[in-house]
Amino acid sequence: MHSATTARPGIAEPVLAGIVTALVGFTSSFAVVLAGLRATGATPEQAASGLLALTAVVGLGIVLLALRYRIPVTLSWSTPGAALLAGAAIPEGGWPAAVGAFAATGVLIALTGVVPALGRLVASIPRHLAQAMLAGVLLPLCLAPFQSLGTIPLLVLPVILVWLAASAVTPRWAVPLALAAALAVIGVQFALNGTVIAAGTLAPSLSVTVPVLEPAAVIGIALPLYVVTMASQNLPGVAVLSSFGYRAPWRSSLAVTGVGTAVVAPFGGHAVNLAALSAALAAGDGAGPDRDRRWIAALTAGIAYLVLAGASGALVVIVGAAPAGLVEAVAGLALISTMAAAVTASFSDPGGRMSGAVTFLLAASGLSILGIGGAFWALVGGLLVRSALERRPARP
């Protein structure tokens, strides 16, 4: 009897940690995903389908890896990748071309686990340039909350204040609480305007798009999406697990996330990867003192994601009826800490600041040449500047 009593807390802690992992991972960035999908040409229905498909495959992937390896490995959608899409333009070929680029990204991720040279090629991209590209992509999105203060101040200000207060008290929950504040504001607006949402529209649904491979979309969307997902999600995800004493199943994780990305692409999903920031919630001390049981936190997170997939349709409908600029403000708040870290990394190398600055500015400029967006040209420009101006002195 004594052993059964003492076993319960050991299970309760990882289960609670897993639920928190899924809630934080979903609520802190689903608005960014919707913004990214809409920016690349998705209709509201197609964006809702993409969110549903991503949430479901993330949950299934986590369950599969947790049961197979019995370690707290967790997955997520690529939030930096969604931010990259949000700063992009609709590609030539429209939404089907974007879907084709998502599928190509999945193939590249899966191949990285099979072809070591591809992984080494990604790792050879200077870290500060990859981070500068990410920072430049995030800049317009992070400006949205403060730009909205000029257009809908009474609606945005409460959300920003909740975010600031929560950041000071409980940083982990700052964005979810800001989202809750935004939903409360939307509810008040619905009540004042007499808006009624039909119950039948709240159910989740899938929309299939046949992928089209357009060279410009593959170069301008798939390659930057692959690079930013690998550099800002998969590699840090491995490092987070390592910091808690776990060895990530690298090849299996890339196989699951790469195939998962390719499978959800026709439904509108952009990229699946190892979790980075939220990974610590399932692998850290908050998941219980018994390290051998923390895989239960990952398993619980996977199941919780599957439950959240069922609620994704209702969230999309509510968000879609929100005043213009409000949800974009929440997405911007969600990305500020990521942008701050990316900017810091961009200029951390004194010998690489010029190439970092050029990469950052090109990515933020919204440049498009030959139908290829600024993220790709940012990396090209940064590498050229690094090669021309920042040559390392020869060793004696």
Side-chain angles (χ1 to χ4, degrees):
M1 188 72 180
H2 177 71
S3 60
T5 305
T6 56
R8 245 177 241 145
I11 295 175
E13 283 182 290
V15 166
L16 180 59
I19 294 172
V20 170
T21 299
L23 284 175
V24 171
F26 182 90
T27 59
S28 63
S29 58
F30 86 90
V32 184
V33 172
L34 293 177
L37 297 180
R38 292 299 303 275
T40 47
T43 64
E45 293 76 18
Q46 289 165 336
S49 172
L51 180 64
L52 169 60
L54 283 168
T55 309
V57 82
V58 164
L60 288 172
I62 294 174
V63 169
L64 177 65
L65 290 171
L67 289 175
R68 171 65 179 82
Y69 293 99
R70 300 297 174 105
I71 62 173
V73 57
T74 51
L75 308 180
S76 68
W77 51 60
S78 177
T79 301
L84 184 149
L85 297 177
I90 298 176
E92 184 178 346
W95 175 242
V99 168
F102 301 160
T105 303
V107 172
L108 287 172
I109 293 172
L111 281 176
T112 305
V114 179
V115 184
L118 189 57
R120 289 194 295 269
L121 180 62
V122 175
S124 70
I125 297 174
R127 180 175 179 271
H128 78 284
L129 294 188
Q131 291 298 310
M133 179 187 73
L134 177 60
V137 165
L138 293 178
L139 177 61
L141 297 172
C142 292
L143 291 174
F146 311 106
Q147 291 171 335
S148 296
L149 281 173
T151 55
I152 49 173
L154 295 180
L155 302 182
V156 172
L157 188 58
V159 178
I160 294 178
L161 291 177
V162 168
W163 174 75
L164 282 172
S167 296
V169 178
T170 175
R172 179 189 302 172
W173 292 96
V175 175
L177 288 174
L179 172 64
L183 292 175
V185 169
I186 294 170
V188 171
Q189 284 290 107
F190 283 0
L192 292 176
N193 299 334
T195 303
V196 178
I197 297 177
T201 64
L202 301 179
S205 62
L206 291 173
S207 172
V208 180
T209 300
V210 178
V212 174
L213 287 179
E214 284 284 346
V218 171
I219 296 171
I221 293 179
L223 289 182
L225 180 57
Y226 167 69
V227 170
V228 80
T229 298
M230 291 298 299
S232 300
Q233 293 282 160
N234 283 330
L235 296 178
V238 171
V240 169
L241 281 176
S242 178
S243 70
F244 291 106
Y246 301 99
R247 184 176 179 180
W250 176 246
R251 290 190 174 184
S252 297
S253 297
L254 291 182
V256 169
T257 57
V259 172
T261 297
V263 167
V264 299
F267 301 103
H270 67 294
V272 181
N273 45 248
L274 284 168
L277 296 177
S278 61
L281 299 176
D285 294 339
D290 188 349
R291 295 181 66 260
D292 293 333
R293 280 188 154 183
R294 291 179 188 172
W295 69 273
I296 298 173
L299 179 64
T300 305
I303 296 171
Y305 266 110
L306 294 175
V307 174
L308 288 169
S312 63
L315 279 172
V316 172
V317 171
I318 294 170
V319 163
L326 183 59
V327 177
E328 290 80 358
V330 176
L333 293 174
L335 294 168
I336 287 178
S337 62
T338 303
M339 180 187 165
V343 169
T344 301
S346 302
F347 303 106
S348 60
D349 179 7
R353 285 177 181 166
M354 183 62 72
S355 59
V358 169
T359 304
F360 170 75
L361 293 171
L362 279 172
S365 69
L367 173 71
S368 178
I369 301 175
L370 302 176
I372 300 171
F376 173 78
W377 299 117
L379 274 181
V380 171
L383 289 170
L384 288 175
V385 170
R386 182 172 176 81
S387 175
L389 303 180
E390 298 171 353
R391 294 193 180 114
R392 303 290 179 182
R395 291 183 179 179

